[in-house]
Amino acid sequence: MPSSRHRTNVWHGYAKDGRIRNGRSPPRYMASMTKMEPAMMEGIKAKDADVAFICGMIAHHQGAIDMAEVEFKYGDNADAKKKAQMVIDAQKKEIKDYAKWLKTNAK
């Protein structure tokens, strides 16, 4: 099993030998996370626990979409791009379901 440092480097866009795989994507991944976190925090401020959960999940799912779009645009692995498209499709559907739930249940 790789060390946690190795896993961190891989996550941040580094190849196994430590070279940057794609100098453009790591900052864009960070931007998607930076955008998602405040939206999630705002969503979970709702007084109703159910509404807070749904609002937080909408922001979380949007963050997943944003990250998948970075992969789709800058990635070079066909399988990873396919997975990114699957994330985009699934998360958009779930966001629609959550929005519908909010319309019906949020007070």
XYZ file of all heavy atoms in Angstrom:
844
model
N 0.850 -1.183 0.000
C 0.000 0.000 0.000
C 0.895 1.246 0.000
O 1.829 1.334 0.780
C -0.880 -0.020 1.241
C -1.833 1.123 1.316
S -3.028 0.766 2.639
C -3.799 2.318 2.743
N 0.588 2.233 -0.858
C 1.423 3.421 -0.905
C 1.298 4.220 0.387
O 0.286 4.166 1.075
C 0.869 4.213 -2.085
C -0.222 3.438 -2.680
C -0.466 2.240 -1.834
N 2.340 4.975 0.679
C 2.293 5.838 1.862
C 1.253 6.921 1.653
O 0.854 7.217 0.530
C 3.660 6.476 2.092
O 3.919 7.424 1.077
N 0.811 7.545 2.764
C -0.189 8.608 2.625
C 0.385 9.780 1.842
O -0.332 10.444 1.125
C -0.694 9.058 3.989
O 0.335 9.675 4.712
N 1.696 10.015 1.964
C 2.310 11.094 1.184
C 2.188 10.799 -0.303
O 1.863 11.657 -1.097
C 3.770 11.261 1.562
C 4.404 12.356 0.741
C 5.824 12.609 1.115
N 6.308 13.574 0.149
C 7.548 13.848 -0.057
N 8.473 13.261 0.651
N 7.904 14.708 -0.964
N 2.424 9.539 -0.678
C 2.301 9.161 -2.085
C 0.861 9.366 -2.557
O 0.633 9.934 -3.610
C 2.728 7.712 -2.288
C 2.554 7.246 -3.697
N 3.379 7.659 -4.712
C 1.627 6.448 -4.253
C 2.965 7.120 -5.845
N 1.918 6.379 -5.586
N -0.091 8.913 -1.767
C -1.494 9.073 -2.157
C -1.837 10.544 -2.299
O -2.539 10.936 -3.210
C -2.411 8.386 -1.146
C -2.406 6.883 -1.265
C -3.542 6.259 -0.486
N -3.599 6.677 0.888
C -2.998 6.074 1.911
N -2.247 5.019 1.707
N -3.138 6.527 3.134
N -1.334 11.385 -1.394
C -1.598 12.816 -1.481
C -1.031 13.375 -2.770
O -1.698 14.126 -3.473
C -0.990 13.554 -0.272
O -1.596 13.033 0.906
C -1.249 15.044 -0.347
N 0.204 12.995 -3.108
C 0.802 13.492 -4.339
C 0.018 13.048 -5.562
O -0.179 13.825 -6.476
C 2.254 13.031 -4.461
C 3.179 13.816 -3.562
O 2.797 14.867 -3.060
N 4.363 13.311 -3.348
N -0.437 11.811 -5.572
C -1.238 11.339 -6.697
C -2.515 12.167 -6.795
O -2.906 12.606 -7.863
C -1.552 9.836 -6.559
C -2.581 9.408 -7.589
C -0.280 9.020 -6.713
N -3.156 12.397 -5.659
C -4.412 13.154 -5.644
C -4.218 14.553 -6.196
O -5.057 15.095 -6.874
C -4.957 13.214 -4.220
C -6.186 14.039 -4.114
C -6.305 15.253 -3.533
C -7.486 13.732 -4.634
N -7.576 15.714 -3.633
C -8.330 14.803 -4.310
C -8.009 12.655 -5.328
C -9.667 14.819 -4.664
C -9.344 12.684 -5.675
C -10.155 13.750 -5.337
N -3.090 15.163 -5.909
C -2.867 16.536 -6.339
C -2.268 16.639 -7.736
O -1.742 17.672 -8.107
C -2.003 17.283 -5.319
C -2.738 17.577 -4.063
N -3.792 18.444 -4.000
C -2.603 17.070 -2.818
C -4.262 18.481 -2.773
N -3.563 17.653 -2.031
N -2.334 15.569 -8.513
C -1.955 15.646 -9.910
C -0.534 15.242 -10.215
O -0.025 15.589 -11.270
N 0.106 14.512 -9.325
C 1.482 14.094 -9.560
C 1.529 12.653 -10.030
O 0.766 11.816 -9.572
C 2.317 14.235 -8.290
C 2.505 15.665 -7.866
C 1.590 16.278 -7.030
C 3.583 16.399 -8.332
C 1.750 17.595 -6.648
C 3.752 17.717 -7.951
C 2.832 18.314 -7.107
O 2.993 19.610 -6.748
N 2.456 12.356 -10.907
C 2.685 10.988 -11.346
C 3.430 10.232 -10.258
O 3.913 10.825 -9.296
C 3.495 11.000 -12.638
N 3.545 8.915 -10.407
C 4.221 8.091 -9.408
C 5.649 8.540 -9.155
O 6.161 8.414 -8.053
C 4.192 6.625 -9.824
C 2.810 6.015 -9.748
C 2.826 4.569 -10.179
C 1.404 4.025 -10.157
N 1.331 2.670 -10.636
N 6.313 9.069 -10.158
C 7.701 9.498 -9.980
C 7.806 10.927 -9.461
O 8.889 11.475 -9.350
C 8.484 9.346 -11.278
C 7.950 10.228 -12.391
O 7.021 11.027 -12.161
O 8.461 10.116 -13.513
N 6.677 11.547 -9.120
C 6.697 12.874 -8.532
C 6.566 14.015 -9.526
O 6.436 15.164 -9.135
N 6.595 13.707 -10.814
C 6.448 14.768 -11.807
C 4.987 15.203 -11.899
O 4.085 14.403 -11.717
C 6.906 14.288 -13.184
C 8.384 14.038 -13.278
C 8.799 13.546 -14.651
N 8.192 12.252 -14.913
C 7.428 11.972 -15.978
N 7.190 12.876 -16.880
N 6.919 10.777 -16.133
N 4.768 16.453 -12.195
C 3.394 16.933 -12.383
C 2.886 16.361 -13.693
O 3.521 16.488 -14.740
C 3.341 18.474 -12.412
C 3.761 19.024 -11.055
C 1.950 18.946 -12.802
C 3.826 20.530 -11.001
N 1.738 15.688 -13.617
C 1.156 15.076 -14.806
C 0.539 16.127 -15.706
O 0.603 16.058 -16.907
C 0.071 14.064 -14.413
C 0.591 12.794 -13.886
C -0.519 11.829 -13.506
N -1.831 12.179 -13.946
C -2.517 11.566 -14.907
N -1.995 10.545 -15.530
N -3.718 11.941 -15.225
N -0.146 17.059 -15.128
C -0.876 18.040 -15.916
C -0.905 19.323 -15.094
O -1.706 19.446 -14.190
C -2.284 17.518 -16.191
C -3.111 18.479 -17.007
O -2.842 19.672 -17.032
N -4.120 17.972 -17.667
N -0.042 20.249 -15.405
C 0.098 21.463 -14.614
C -1.152 22.313 -14.552
O -1.256 23.195 -13.720
N -2.110 22.064 -15.399
C -3.317 22.890 -15.415
C -4.399 22.372 -14.486
O -5.184 23.133 -13.978
C -3.884 22.956 -16.835
C -2.941 23.608 -17.820
C -3.458 23.427 -19.203
N -3.518 21.998 -19.480
C -3.747 21.455 -20.646
N -3.963 22.206 -21.667
N -3.766 20.163 -20.801
N -4.477 21.067 -14.276
C -5.634 20.545 -13.553
C -5.596 20.690 -12.047
O -6.628 20.984 -11.453
C -5.896 19.088 -13.933
O -4.823 18.276 -13.572
N -4.455 20.512 -11.341
C -4.527 20.613 -9.881
C -5.127 21.926 -9.373
O -5.993 21.890 -8.500
C -3.081 20.409 -9.436
C -2.512 19.527 -10.494
C -3.154 20.024 -11.770
N -4.746 23.091 -9.910
C -5.393 24.315 -9.421
C -6.902 24.340 -9.700
O -7.676 24.868 -8.908
C -4.676 25.429 -10.186
C -3.367 24.844 -10.593
C -3.649 23.384 -10.827
N -7.318 23.744 -10.791
C -8.745 23.729 -11.108
C -9.515 22.797 -10.171
O -10.637 23.064 -9.806
C -8.938 23.360 -12.570
C -8.548 24.523 -13.476
C -8.729 24.180 -14.934
N -8.525 25.345 -15.768
C -7.343 25.794 -16.172
N -6.241 25.180 -15.791
N -7.248 26.856 -16.947
N -8.884 21.688 -9.781
C -9.520 20.821 -8.784
C -9.661 21.574 -7.464
O -10.688 21.509 -6.811
C -8.716 19.536 -8.562
C -8.854 18.517 -9.648
C -7.740 18.001 -10.281
C -10.104 18.045 -10.029
C -7.859 17.049 -11.273
C -10.228 17.097 -11.031
C -9.099 16.603 -11.647
O -9.219 15.671 -12.629
N -8.604 22.285 -7.092
C -8.657 23.050 -5.844
C -9.733 24.130 -5.921
O -10.441 24.375 -4.948
C -7.296 23.676 -5.540
C -6.228 22.656 -5.169
S -6.669 21.617 -3.744
C -6.750 22.844 -2.462
N -9.879 24.760 -7.072
C -10.914 25.787 -7.233
C -12.300 25.191 -7.056
O -13.175 25.801 -6.426
C -10.786 26.456 -8.600
N -12.507 23.983 -7.563
C -13.827 23.360 -7.409
C -14.103 23.044 -5.941
O -15.222 23.201 -5.460
C -13.945 22.101 -8.276
O -13.104 21.068 -7.806
N -13.080 22.624 -5.205
C -13.252 22.337 -3.779
C -13.488 23.625 -2.991
O -14.322 23.677 -2.097
C -12.019 21.611 -3.232
C -11.798 20.241 -3.840
S -13.111 19.075 -3.455
C -12.720 18.745 -1.757
N -12.753 24.674 -3.354
C -12.899 25.964 -2.676
C -14.296 26.530 -2.890
O -14.873 27.137 -1.989
C -11.822 26.948 -3.188
O -10.537 26.379 -2.945
C -11.908 28.280 -2.503
N -14.846 26.308 -4.053
C -16.203 26.769 -4.366
C -17.245 25.939 -3.611
O -18.237 26.468 -3.128
C -16.424 26.651 -5.879
C -17.799 27.014 -6.355
C -17.869 26.810 -7.864
C -19.278 26.796 -8.369
N -19.361 26.431 -9.782
N -17.001 24.633 -3.489
C -17.980 23.739 -2.880
C -18.107 23.947 -1.377
O -19.217 23.947 -0.837
C -17.597 22.287 -3.158
C -18.509 21.273 -2.483
S -17.968 19.561 -2.688
C -16.432 19.557 -1.794
N -16.992 24.112 -0.691
C -17.026 24.139 0.776
C -17.934 25.225 1.352
O -18.774 24.921 2.198
C -15.612 24.268 1.333
C -15.591 24.103 2.837
C -14.196 24.102 3.392
O -13.304 23.470 2.811
O -14.003 24.746 4.430
N -17.820 26.489 0.922
C -18.720 27.497 1.494
C -20.190 27.232 1.164
O -21.068 27.499 1.981
C -18.257 28.819 0.890
C -16.987 28.554 0.182
C -16.844 27.080 0.022
N -20.442 26.701 -0.021
C -21.826 26.391 -0.399
C -22.394 25.298 0.504
O -23.555 25.360 0.928
C -21.897 25.976 -1.868
N -21.584 24.292 0.805
C -22.032 23.231 1.721
C -22.281 23.801 3.106
O -23.287 23.496 3.747
C -20.990 22.114 1.809
C -20.975 21.204 0.618
S -19.738 19.894 0.763
C -20.269 19.047 2.224
N -21.367 24.632 3.584
C -21.514 25.210 4.920
C -22.768 26.071 5.007
O -23.466 26.051 6.018
C -20.267 26.027 5.280
C -19.001 25.193 5.384
S -19.142 23.786 6.528
C -19.170 24.649 8.077
N -23.045 26.801 3.965
C -24.268 27.622 3.952
C -25.501 26.725 3.963
O -26.457 26.973 4.685
C -24.265 28.536 2.723
C -25.382 29.551 2.713
C -25.321 30.531 3.878
O -24.222 30.887 4.337
O -26.403 30.947 4.330
N -25.458 25.662 3.173
C -26.602 24.757 3.082
C -26.938 24.092 4.398
O -28.115 23.936 4.738
N -25.931 23.732 5.174
C -26.216 23.018 6.416
C -26.610 23.937 7.560
O -26.874 23.474 8.662
C -25.034 22.104 6.832
C -23.788 22.912 7.130
C -24.772 21.054 5.759
C -22.651 22.082 7.715
N -26.728 25.233 7.297
C -27.172 26.173 8.325
C -28.687 26.143 8.527
O -29.191 26.731 9.478
C -26.741 27.594 7.980
C -25.251 27.830 8.141
C -24.916 29.264 7.784
C -23.430 29.516 7.873
N -23.101 30.895 7.447
N -29.396 25.488 7.647
C -30.855 25.433 7.775
C -31.220 24.855 9.138
O -30.563 23.937 9.636
C -31.459 24.593 6.662
N -32.256 25.391 9.756
C -32.668 24.926 11.086
C -33.245 23.523 11.045
O -33.105 22.763 11.989
C -33.668 25.915 11.685
C -33.033 27.246 11.991
C -34.024 28.204 12.618
C -33.449 29.575 12.596
N -33.164 30.290 13.670
N -33.887 23.179 9.970
C -34.468 21.849 9.812
C -33.364 20.892 9.357
O -32.699 21.130 8.346
C -35.592 21.913 8.769
C -36.268 20.586 8.551
O -35.619 19.686 7.969
O -37.433 20.439 8.946
N -33.159 19.813 10.090
C -32.077 18.871 9.793
C -32.218 18.251 8.407
O -31.212 18.054 7.704
C -32.017 17.775 10.848
N -33.437 17.951 8.004
C -33.648 17.349 6.686
C -33.281 18.328 5.574
O -32.610 17.967 4.606
C -35.105 16.907 6.528
C -35.516 15.865 7.544
O -34.689 14.986 7.866
O -36.660 15.937 8.031
N -33.722 19.566 5.728
C -33.422 20.596 4.727
C -31.920 20.867 4.699
O -31.328 20.995 3.622
C -34.225 21.885 5.016
C -33.775 23.028 4.106
C -35.722 21.623 4.850
N -31.300 20.929 5.861
C -29.855 21.156 5.924
C -29.105 20.043 5.182
O -28.173 20.316 4.418
C -29.399 21.233 7.380
N -29.517 18.811 5.416
C -28.879 17.683 4.737
C -29.012 17.813 3.220
O -28.025 17.700 2.487
C -29.503 16.362 5.205
C -29.085 15.194 4.366
C -27.809 14.671 4.451
C -29.980 14.620 3.475
C -27.421 13.595 3.666
C -29.607 13.538 2.689
C -28.324 13.029 2.782
N -30.226 18.057 2.757
C -30.463 18.142 1.310
C -29.692 19.311 0.702
O -29.055 19.163 -0.351
C -31.982 18.245 1.013
C -32.714 16.983 1.471
C -32.232 18.548 -0.460
C -32.310 15.709 0.759
N -29.700 20.467 1.361
C -28.974 21.627 0.840
C -27.472 21.357 0.806
O -26.789 21.713 -0.167
C -29.269 22.856 1.688
S -30.935 23.495 1.471
N -26.952 20.728 1.837
C -25.536 20.379 1.853
C -25.183 19.399 0.749
O -24.125 19.503 0.121
N -26.067 18.454 0.515
C -25.814 17.460 -0.526
C -25.863 18.070 -1.921
O -25.110 17.662 -2.808
C -26.791 16.294 -0.407
C -26.541 15.430 0.818
S -24.840 14.803 0.931
C -24.773 13.746 -0.500
N -26.724 19.046 -2.122
C -26.759 19.714 -3.430
C -25.402 20.356 -3.709
O -24.833 20.185 -4.794
C -27.904 20.749 -3.499
C -29.257 20.029 -3.560
C -27.721 21.688 -4.700
C -30.458 20.940 -3.423
N -24.875 21.069 -2.731
C -23.560 21.702 -2.909
C -22.468 20.649 -3.100
O -21.573 20.807 -3.937
C -23.245 22.589 -1.709
N -22.541 19.582 -2.329
C -21.567 18.502 -2.432
C -21.601 17.875 -3.828
O -20.556 17.647 -4.459
C -21.886 17.452 -1.371
C -20.931 16.318 -1.321
N -21.148 15.149 -2.004
C -19.754 16.178 -0.679
C -20.141 14.330 -1.770
N -19.280 14.922 -0.963
N -22.790 17.611 -4.330
C -22.932 17.009 -5.659
C -22.456 17.966 -6.744
O -21.856 17.540 -7.728
C -24.382 16.598 -5.898
C -24.771 15.331 -5.203
N -24.219 14.904 -4.035
C -25.683 14.405 -5.534
C -24.761 13.769 -3.665
N -25.666 13.435 -4.572
N -22.726 19.268 -6.570
C -22.241 20.236 -7.554
C -20.719 20.252 -7.563
O -20.094 20.365 -8.615
C -22.792 21.641 -7.272
C -22.388 22.658 -8.329
C -22.865 22.286 -9.723
O -24.043 22.052 -9.938
N -21.943 22.221 -10.687
N -20.120 20.115 -6.388
C -18.663 20.029 -6.313
C -18.131 18.816 -7.067
O -17.104 18.886 -7.748
N -18.835 17.696 -6.953
C -18.435 16.491 -7.686
C -18.539 16.718 -9.194
O -17.663 16.288 -9.953
C -19.300 15.304 -7.267
N -19.576 17.407 -9.611
C -19.737 17.731 -11.034
C -18.577 18.619 -11.499
O -17.970 18.371 -12.546
C -21.088 18.417 -11.301
C -22.229 17.426 -11.105
C -21.122 19.042 -12.705
C -23.607 18.069 -11.058
N -18.265 19.637 -10.710
C -17.179 20.545 -11.082
C -15.853 19.798 -11.205
O -15.090 20.023 -12.148
C -17.052 21.673 -10.059
C -18.265 22.603 -10.043
O -19.079 22.561 -10.997
O -18.385 23.366 -9.072
N -15.576 18.883 -10.263
C -14.343 18.099 -10.328
C -14.341 17.174 -11.538
O -13.324 17.033 -12.226
C -14.168 17.286 -9.047
C -13.831 18.137 -7.847
S -13.665 17.153 -6.355
C -12.204 16.209 -6.750
N -15.479 16.551 -11.814
C -15.566 15.648 -12.965
C -15.376 16.419 -14.271
O -14.768 15.906 -15.219
C -16.912 14.922 -12.956
N -15.866 17.645 -14.319
C -15.677 18.450 -15.528
C -14.211 18.797 -15.748
O -13.751 18.857 -16.890
C -16.545 19.707 -15.473
C -18.019 19.371 -15.674
C -18.956 20.552 -15.489
O -18.547 21.579 -14.902
O -20.118 20.421 -15.919
N -13.464 18.981 -14.663
C -12.021 19.210 -14.797
C -11.366 17.969 -15.402
O -10.570 18.058 -16.340
C -11.379 19.568 -13.437
C -9.850 19.594 -13.546
C -11.900 20.907 -12.931
N -11.714 16.804 -14.871
C -11.168 15.554 -15.419
C -11.549 15.403 -16.880
O -10.723 15.062 -17.720
C -11.663 14.352 -14.620
C -11.388 13.013 -15.266
C -9.934 12.728 -15.566
O -9.037 13.207 -14.858
O -9.670 12.011 -16.547
N -12.803 15.661 -17.176
C -13.288 15.488 -18.540
C -12.546 16.413 -19.504
O -12.218 16.032 -20.625
C -14.799 15.734 -18.584
C -15.461 15.119 -19.763
C -15.630 13.745 -19.856
C -15.913 15.903 -20.798
C -16.236 13.171 -20.959
C -16.528 15.334 -21.906
C -16.681 13.965 -21.985
N -12.242 17.618 -19.042
C -11.575 18.593 -19.903
C -10.062 18.358 -20.001
O -9.488 18.482 -21.083
C -11.838 20.006 -19.381
C -11.297 21.095 -20.272
C -11.757 22.458 -19.821
C -11.228 23.532 -20.766
N -11.668 24.868 -20.386
N -9.421 18.014 -18.887
C -7.960 17.960 -18.865
C -7.377 16.554 -18.748
O -6.190 16.373 -18.967
C -7.420 18.820 -17.723
C -7.749 20.271 -17.898
C -8.741 20.867 -17.146
C -7.082 21.040 -18.842
C -9.062 22.206 -17.317
C -7.396 22.373 -19.023
C -8.391 22.954 -18.253
O -8.706 24.263 -18.439
N -8.171 15.580 -18.373
C -7.651 14.232 -18.213
C -7.277 13.606 -19.541
O -7.759 14.016 -20.598
N -6.415 12.597 -19.455
C -5.991 11.942 -20.689
C -6.274 10.441 -20.682
O -5.911 9.744 -21.615
C -4.500 12.208 -20.961
C -3.605 11.781 -19.814
O -4.075 11.112 -18.875
O -2.415 12.132 -19.856
N -6.959 9.960 -19.672
C -7.267 8.538 -19.579
C -8.737 8.326 -19.929
O -9.624 8.898 -19.279
C -6.969 8.035 -18.165
C -7.242 6.563 -18.020
O -8.399 6.169 -17.880
N -6.203 5.758 -18.043
N -8.993 7.510 -20.937
C -10.365 7.305 -21.423
C -11.275 6.742 -20.334
O -12.440 7.143 -20.227
C -10.358 6.382 -22.636
N -10.769 5.817 -19.519
C -11.587 5.234 -18.458
C -11.934 6.280 -17.396
O -13.072 6.352 -16.937
C -10.877 4.043 -17.825
C -11.772 3.278 -16.872
O -12.947 3.017 -17.231
O -11.307 2.944 -15.769
N -10.964 7.110 -17.024
C -11.229 8.166 -16.042
C -12.239 9.166 -16.595
O -13.131 9.628 -15.873
C -9.932 8.871 -15.652
N -12.125 9.483 -17.881
C -13.083 10.405 -18.498
C -14.486 9.793 -18.520
O -15.475 10.484 -18.289
C -12.647 10.780 -19.912
C -11.503 11.738 -19.941
C -11.191 12.141 -21.373
C -10.423 13.423 -21.363
N -10.505 14.148 -22.593
N -14.564 8.499 -18.773
C -15.860 7.816 -18.759
C -16.467 7.890 -17.363
O -17.656 8.169 -17.199
C -15.679 6.362 -19.195
C -16.955 5.569 -19.237
C -16.684 4.137 -19.696
C -17.957 3.316 -19.652
N -17.702 1.924 -20.022
N -15.646 7.661 -16.342
C -16.127 7.750 -14.967
C -16.564 9.176 -14.632
O -17.561 9.382 -13.946
C -15.049 7.260 -14.003
C -14.799 5.768 -14.106
C -13.688 5.320 -13.181
C -13.295 3.878 -13.355
N -14.309 2.910 -13.599
N -15.820 10.153 -15.131
C -16.194 11.547 -14.911
C -17.565 11.839 -15.510
O -18.399 12.500 -14.890
C -15.135 12.486 -15.499
N -17.807 11.337 -16.710
C -19.112 11.553 -17.335
C -20.217 10.878 -16.543
O -21.314 11.425 -16.390
C -19.119 11.063 -18.777
C -20.380 11.446 -19.533
C -20.569 12.952 -19.627
O -19.698 13.659 -20.115
N -21.696 13.453 -19.150
N -19.930 9.699 -16.002
C -20.914 9.006 -15.171
C -21.233 9.831 -13.924
O -22.397 9.929 -13.515
C -20.398 7.618 -14.780
C -20.333 6.649 -15.958
S -19.434 5.116 -15.637
C -20.215 4.497 -14.178
N -20.223 10.434 -13.322
C -20.437 11.296 -12.150
C -21.313 12.479 -12.535
O -22.286 12.801 -11.835
C -19.089 11.766 -11.563
C -19.292 12.903 -10.562
C -18.360 10.613 -10.905
N -20.975 13.130 -13.624
C -21.747 14.294 -14.069
C -23.207 13.917 -14.268
O -24.113 14.590 -13.748
C -21.147 14.890 -15.364
C -19.782 15.518 -15.059
C -22.097 15.903 -15.996
C -18.961 15.852 -16.299
N -23.464 12.849 -14.990
C -24.844 12.437 -15.269
C -25.599 12.084 -13.988
O -26.733 12.538 -13.787
C -24.857 11.246 -16.228
C -24.291 11.576 -17.603
O -24.196 12.776 -17.954
O -23.932 10.630 -18.330
N -24.974 11.300 -13.119
C -25.645 10.856 -11.892
C -25.896 12.016 -10.933
O -26.990 12.134 -10.364
C -24.819 9.774 -11.201
N -24.896 12.876 -10.770
C -25.034 13.962 -9.804
C -26.048 15.004 -10.274
O -26.785 15.560 -9.453
C -23.674 14.615 -9.538
C -22.624 13.665 -9.003
C -22.991 13.013 -7.685
O -23.414 13.669 -6.744
N -22.827 11.708 -7.616
N -26.113 15.262 -11.575
C -27.122 16.204 -12.081
C -28.523 15.673 -11.815
O -29.415 16.435 -11.425
C -26.920 16.468 -13.579
C -25.776 17.413 -13.858
C -25.659 17.725 -15.337
C -24.583 18.761 -15.570
N -24.481 19.161 -16.977
N -28.722 14.387 -12.010
C -30.029 13.790 -11.736
C -30.373 13.908 -10.253
O -31.482 14.285 -9.890
C -30.054 12.326 -12.159
C -31.394 11.656 -11.897
C -31.331 10.147 -12.057
C -32.639 9.476 -11.742
N -33.193 9.771 -10.443
N -29.401 13.611 -9.397
C -29.664 13.690 -7.958
C -29.935 15.119 -7.520
O -30.793 15.353 -6.666
C -28.507 13.075 -7.173
C -28.498 11.569 -7.308
C -27.492 10.894 -6.398
O -27.133 11.471 -5.353
O -27.083 9.772 -6.731
N -29.231 16.091 -8.088
C -29.500 17.496 -7.748
C -30.934 17.854 -8.115
O -31.634 18.524 -7.343
C -28.479 18.436 -8.422
C -27.120 18.302 -7.745
C -28.963 19.884 -8.385
C -25.994 19.049 -8.440
N -31.399 17.402 -9.278
C -32.799 17.658 -9.665
C -33.756 17.028 -8.660
O -34.752 17.639 -8.271
C -33.080 17.107 -11.065
C -32.552 17.956 -12.177
C -32.941 17.364 -13.531
C -32.342 18.161 -14.647
N -32.678 17.623 -15.969
N -33.457 15.799 -8.238
C -34.303 15.120 -7.247
C -34.306 15.885 -5.922
O -35.354 16.048 -5.292
C -33.827 13.686 -7.010
C -34.036 12.781 -8.211
O -34.807 13.149 -9.133
O -33.412 11.698 -8.233
N -33.132 16.348 -5.494
C -33.042 17.104 -4.241
C -33.808 18.418 -4.343
O -34.494 18.821 -3.405
C -31.584 17.398 -3.888
C -30.792 16.203 -3.414
C -29.444 16.101 -3.706
C -31.373 15.179 -2.674
C -28.689 15.023 -3.267
C -30.624 14.095 -2.239
C -29.288 14.031 -2.538
O -28.557 12.963 -2.097
N -33.691 19.104 -5.485
C -34.404 20.368 -5.667
C -35.916 20.142 -5.612
O -36.654 20.942 -5.011
C -33.990 21.021 -6.984
N -36.356 19.072 -6.216
C -37.779 18.727 -6.159
C -38.201 18.450 -4.729
O -39.261 18.910 -4.276
C -38.054 17.497 -7.055
C -39.491 17.112 -7.151
C -39.661 15.921 -8.094
C -41.097 15.461 -8.127
N -41.268 14.284 -8.992
N -37.374 17.729 -3.980
C -37.672 17.437 -2.591
C -37.782 18.732 -1.787
O -38.702 18.893 -0.985
C -36.584 16.543 -1.990
C -36.896 16.109 -0.592
C -37.517 14.964 -0.221
C -36.620 16.830 0.608
N -37.660 14.931 1.151
C -37.102 16.068 1.679
C -36.007 18.052 0.886
C -37.007 16.475 3.004
C -35.898 18.461 2.207
C -36.391 17.686 3.236
N -36.853 19.669 -2.025
C -36.890 20.941 -1.303
C -38.176 21.703 -1.605
O -38.781 22.282 -0.699
C -35.688 21.808 -1.672
C -34.374 21.452 -1.015
C -33.239 22.284 -1.614
C -34.438 21.639 0.498
N -38.571 21.707 -2.851
C -39.786 22.426 -3.247
C -40.997 21.881 -2.491
O -41.882 22.642 -2.074
C -39.994 22.288 -4.758
C -40.898 23.322 -5.364
C -40.930 23.161 -6.875
C -40.450 24.440 -7.477
N -40.589 24.490 -8.920
N -41.019 20.580 -2.291
C -42.142 19.941 -1.616
C -42.046 20.008 -0.094
O -43.058 20.182 0.589
C -42.216 18.444 -2.026
O -42.339 18.379 -3.443
C -43.379 17.733 -1.379
N -40.842 19.898 0.453
C -40.690 19.700 1.885
C -40.111 20.856 2.687
O -40.296 20.888 3.912
C -39.796 18.464 2.127
C -40.466 17.218 1.633
O -41.363 16.691 2.260
N -40.040 16.740 0.469
N -39.378 21.760 2.039
C -38.789 22.877 2.804
C -39.872 23.845 3.218
O -40.762 24.167 2.435
C -37.721 23.569 1.971
N -39.785 24.279 4.449
C -40.808 25.213 4.979
C -40.244 26.592 5.114
O -39.147 26.833 5.382
C -41.302 24.695 6.323
C -41.978 23.357 6.164
C -42.118 22.674 7.520
C -42.770 21.346 7.414
N -42.029 20.288 6.843
